[in-house]
Amino acid sequence: MTGIVLAVALLSMERMSLDGLWDFHFESGKKTEEVRMPDFKVDDKMLVPGCWTTESAYYDCRGTGCYRRRIAVEKAAEDAYLVVDGVGLRARFWIDGRDVGAVALPWSRFEVPIGSLGCGEHELVVAVDNMSDPNKMKLFSDFYDFYPYGGIFHGVELFLRRQSTEVKSVTVRTRDYKTGRVELELVFAGKCLDAFDADVAFDGGEKKKVAFVGRKATLEVPAFKLWSPESPHLHRVRVGLVVDANRQEKSFAEVQFGIRQVSTDGGRIMLNGEPIYLKGANRHESHGEFGAATPKSLMYEDLHNMKLMGMNFVRGSHYPQCDAFLSLCDEMGMLVWEESLGWGNRTNQLEDAEFQSLQEEQTRLMVKNSINHPSVIISGFLNELDSSSEASKGIVNRLVTAVREEDSGHLVAYACNRVNDDVANIQTDIIAYNVYPGWYTDRPKIGSREELRKTIRDCHRNIVRFFRRKYGDSRPIVVSESGVKADFGFRDSRGRAQYTEDYQAEYTQLMIEEILANRDIAGFAIWLYADAKSYTRVHSLTARPYGYNTGGLYDAYRRPKLAVETVRKLFREFAR
């Protein structure tokens, strides 16, 4: 049921935002199947978008959130569908008491077909379940090092189709960045056309009649400008179906896109034919007050802070990113690594047929949804899977193939932490690794600054050497995670003890200096931009102080730590 959900700027189909206060009821400790649905008893209200797990009444609660609201339809529709931008963790939907489907793809932007809707009022009911059940929720496990927020993260929209054929969206692919040649592919709701004429206009300019074959047409954008971090120029295209000689428009869609091409050349990453070094950070969709339902103003603040630190790159850890965040990345010139959901998955999961199928489904959906976002240059998956096992080869190759079959132009990678025995980086475009020398591994024998620097330097040199010998090629190598933790407000300028801001600042300086000095490394994402909520009261109770991963340059409320200035100085001065 998870069809393509490309964002559109304008659309002839009617669309209704369903955001706001919904009727609500919470069933603690119960899965959706254990709750009486859809006729539950309402006893509260809940905001959409939002997370119940950050609300005082339901703080840190696992169970099923039951949502209900009325929808007024003024004119009957042949067909309708919902677009939901992220839930935690799985959801089931009813319209007028009729079950219209379920989705178990946490954080994904997905579509729910609901059929025809008559004129009048309708009742929409949604059950969202953030329980951990390996039989029901294959893609998220409780050992993952981030929090399973419960809620509807970034809103719900209703789309109404009243004609037999409607243009749903336009996929835009750059075919030649030197000439501004792009391929347009129409996505339809209702009856799908194959060969037809359409009016095409770029950037509000003159309409041009264009013949589409196989739903596709290739043409050049007039007076085009390239998209890059330094000059994030965006274009718009409007495509309208016409029905007679008078050029009467039947249906249209208008989308935003950028012209850019990403590739590799030996050990370098290339953007529009020029080498680019990735300087950035990992970011969780997490905040101390909002949880995973971060508002657009906070997304802007995060990206603005990154730009001020001299960053040009963000890795969305470790799940698909919402459309609003990617749109801001487009507009602000921030390169993005987006990845489907996974964390430390082991052989028993990698060999599970349903797990494999859901991984492919979410990965394909992620790539399709972000294809018009020029900021997205890397599609990834399965962070820190056990890539030393033979089982990893099959699923990695399957997901690499899935990304490439979507013809997105994205590079493909996964973040590897098996830096001495990885066997699965066979078909990837980039070799990426996570490592924490002097923190989790390779602890210095002496806690001096000099010994710490040597530990960091030797660690990265040895890893690069392993990958070069293992795969015998010169693909770009990227450090996808590295850093240390610090508790906000804890200072120790004399001893610079671990977990203090002073130690984090010192370590960050040495880490950045050594990584930037290594000519075999093509990019680096610091772990972590801002502290993020993780597991609580389970696993090792000492591993995550007060339930947070505190590796952020900022704390969970975006208060800067000392390392922010360190990063700003080193990243802004660096040029290669």
Side-chain angles (χ1 to χ4, degrees):
M1 65 182 292
T2 51
I4 184 171
V5 196
L6 285 170
V8 287
L10 293 171
L11 194 66
S12 55
M13 277 195 296
E14 182 182 352
R15 63 196 296 180
M16 298 169 53
S17 171
L18 303 184
D19 295 352
L21 279 177
W22 291 46
D23 293 334
F24 187 74
H25 172 71
F26 186 70
E27 290 281 356
S28 181
K30 292 185 178 180
K31 299 189 287 287
T32 298
E33 294 77 10
E34 300 170 333
V35 178
R36 181 175 178 178
M37 296 293 288
D39 54 342
F40 62 90
K41 182 179 179 181
V42 173
D43 54 15
D44 207 345
K45 298 281 186 179
M46 185 59 62
L47 192 64
V48 173
C51 295
W52 75 69
T53 39
T54 60
E55 299 293 328
S56 297
Y58 310 103
Y59 189 83
D60 206 20
C61 286
R62 307 288 291 273
T64 296
C66 309
Y67 296 78
R68 176 185 293 138
R69 69 158 293 161
R70 307 293 294 180
I71 303 170
V73 176
E74 295 182 357
K75 184 179 177 182
E78 285 189 21
D79 195 17
Y81 60 91
L82 300 169
V83 171
V84 184
D85 203 348
V87 299
L89 293 168
R90 60 191 182 107
R92 183 170 288 278
F93 300 82
W94 293 261
I95 188 77
D96 297 331
R98 177 169 52 90
D99 188 336
V100 291
V103 173
L105 304 175
W107 281 275
S108 282
R109 178 178 170 90
F110 58 87
E111 176 185 306
V112 183
I114 59 178
S116 62
L117 286 180
C119 178
E121 272 208 344
H122 300 272
E123 181 183 76
L124 174 62
V125 172
V126 184
V128 180
D129 173 347
N130 73 333
M131 292 289 289
S132 177
D133 181 344
N135 296 315
K136 300 291 185 181
M137 173 39 60
K138 292 284 186 176
L139 294 186
F140 187 91
S141 299
D142 270 347
F143 65 79
Y144 286 15
D145 192 10
F146 45 97
Y147 188 73
Y149 289 105
I152 301 173
F153 298 157
H154 296 290
V156 182
E157 284 188 296
L158 173 67
F159 289 77
L160 301 168
R161 178 176 63 82
R162 296 193 172 94
Q163 302 182 90
S164 59
T165 296
E166 291 271 14
V167 181
K168 189 175 182 181
S169 190
V170 185
T171 299
V172 186
R173 296 180 175 92
T174 299
R175 291 309 187 197
D176 187 347
Y177 73 92
K178 295 178 181 179
T179 63
R181 188 183 307 128
V182 298
E183 179 188 84
L184 308 180
E185 181 179 5
L186 265 59
V187 181
F188 289 102
K191 181 182 177 182
C192 182
L193 304 180
D194 184 70
F196 51 88
D197 288 344
D199 284 342
V200 178
F202 289 101
D203 301 319
E206 185 179 353
K207 292 180 181 178
K208 178 182 178 182
K209 179 181 175 181
V210 176
F212 283 72
V213 178
R215 297 182 290 115
K216 297 178 181 179
T218 301
L219 58 166
E220 293 182 359
V221 179
F224 75 94
K225 295 180 181 179
L226 295 178
W227 185 96
S228 69
E230 297 76 24
S231 180
H233 190 86
L234 295 168
H235 291 280
R236 297 169 81 91
V237 62
R238 178 185 171 110
V239 180
L241 287 181
V242 293
V243 295
D244 56 33
N246 296 322
R247 314 304 298 163
Q248 180 181 348
E249 192 172 69
K250 177 182 180 182
S251 176
F252 73 88
E254 183 174 319
V255 299
Q256 185 170 266
F257 68 97
I259 298 174
R260 66 99 182 93
Q261 195 167 73
V262 62
S263 60
T264 64
D265 181 10
R268 301 182 300 177
I269 297 171
M270 311 292 286
L271 183 68
N272 302 328
E274 299 292 332
I276 187 165
Y277 191 95
L278 306 181
K279 301 177 295 179
N282 289 265
R283 175 186 179 271
H284 266 300
E285 193 72 40
S286 178
H287 184 271
E289 180 179 357
F290 306 113
T294 56
K296 196 170 182 178
S297 58
L298 181 70
M299 298 176 196
Y300 166 79
E301 179 186 355
D302 288 351
L303 292 170
H304 190 232
N305 286 340
M306 290 181 187
K307 297 289 280 189
L308 290 175
M309 285 188 284
M311 296 182 180
N312 63 5
F313 173 59
V314 59
R315 178 176 174 228
S317 310
H318 299 291
Y319 32 75
Q321 302 297 289
C322 75
D323 189 71
F325 181 72
L326 294 180
S327 293
L328 281 173
C329 290
D330 294 341
E331 295 175 39
M332 298 176 70
M334 186 66 71
L335 301 165
V336 178
W337 167 329
E338 188 181 22
E339 63 190 31
S340 49
L341 179 59
W343 194 91
N345 304 100
R346 298 301 181 238
T347 299
N348 63 318
Q349 293 175 296
L350 302 179
E351 293 179 335
D352 183 281
E354 186 179 358
F355 177 83
Q356 292 178 3
S357 178
L358 287 168
Q359 281 289 333
E360 180 175 351
E361 181 182 3
Q362 186 178 59
T363 301
R364 284 186 183 273
L365 181 62
M366 174 189 75
V367 175
K368 290 176 180 178
N369 287 344
S370 64
I371 202 166
N372 283 352
H373 290 288
S375 56
V376 181
I377 63 166
I378 299 172
S379 287
F381 43 77
L382 292 175
N383 176 68
E384 296 186 353
L385 81 159
D386 181 6
S387 61
S388 68
S389 68
E390 286 299 310
S392 68
K393 290 182 180 179
I395 190 168
V396 167
N397 290 342
R398 177 174 176 174
L399 296 179
V400 169
T401 299
V403 173
R404 291 183 177 148
E405 285 179 349
E406 298 303 330
D407 193 16
S408 65
H410 300 168
L411 302 177
V412 190
Y414 64 89
C416 167
N417 69 344
R418 303 308 297 255
V419 294
N420 298 308
D421 53 4
D422 172 81
V423 297
N425 260 300
I426 301 167
Q427 297 184 22
T428 54
D429 297 305
I430 294 171
I431 293 176
Y433 66 89
N434 301 347
V435 72
Y436 295 82
W439 190 256
Y440 291 134
T441 59
D442 302 317
R443 293 179 176 86
K445 297 176 182 177
I446 304 172
S448 70
R449 181 183 180 92
E450 293 73 23
E451 182 65 24
L452 181 56
R453 179 186 290 278
K454 184 178 184 301
T455 297
I456 294 170
R457 180 192 303 130
D458 291 348
C459 174
H460 289 286
R461 285 179 176 175
N462 290 337
I463 292 172
V464 169
R465 187 178 299 116
F466 164 75
F467 282 120
R468 290 292 183 235
R469 289 176 176 174
K470 173 68 179 178
Y471 296 104
D473 58 39
S474 59
R475 273 176 289 174
I477 293 178
V478 169
V479 181
S480 40
E481 288 181 26
S482 199
V484 293
K485 296 173 177 58
D487 292 351
F488 177 80
F490 285 81
R491 304 282 179 88
D492 180 14
S493 60
R494 296 174 297 178
R496 296 188 297 278
Q498 63 270 28
Y499 284 101
T500 64
E501 289 189 39
D502 304 83
Y503 181 77
Q504 185 190 44
E506 178 186 34
Y507 184 100
T508 300
Q509 177 187 345
L510 301 177
M511 171 182 66
I512 293 177
E513 287 176 349
E514 291 303 320
I515 290 175
L516 296 185
N518 191 321
R519 304 291 295 188
D520 285 309
I521 294 175
F524 171 38
I526 295 170
W527 185 268
L528 175 67
Y529 166 72
D531 295 351
K533 191 169 183 178
S534 185
Y535 47 75
T536 56
R537 300 173 66 89
V538 295
H539 309 308
S540 172
L541 298 182
T542 60
R544 296 290 175 256
Y546 42 91
Y548 273 79
N549 186 316
T550 57
L553 302 171
Y554 292 77
D555 79 346
Y557 296 90
R558 279 30 176 198
R559 295 177 294 183
K561 302 177 189 177
L562 291 176
V564 167
E565 180 59 23
T566 303
V567 174
R568 187 200 66 80
K569 182 176 185 299
L570 293 172
F571 271 1
R572 292 182 73 88
E573 290 177 353
F574 174 77
R576 180 181 292 180

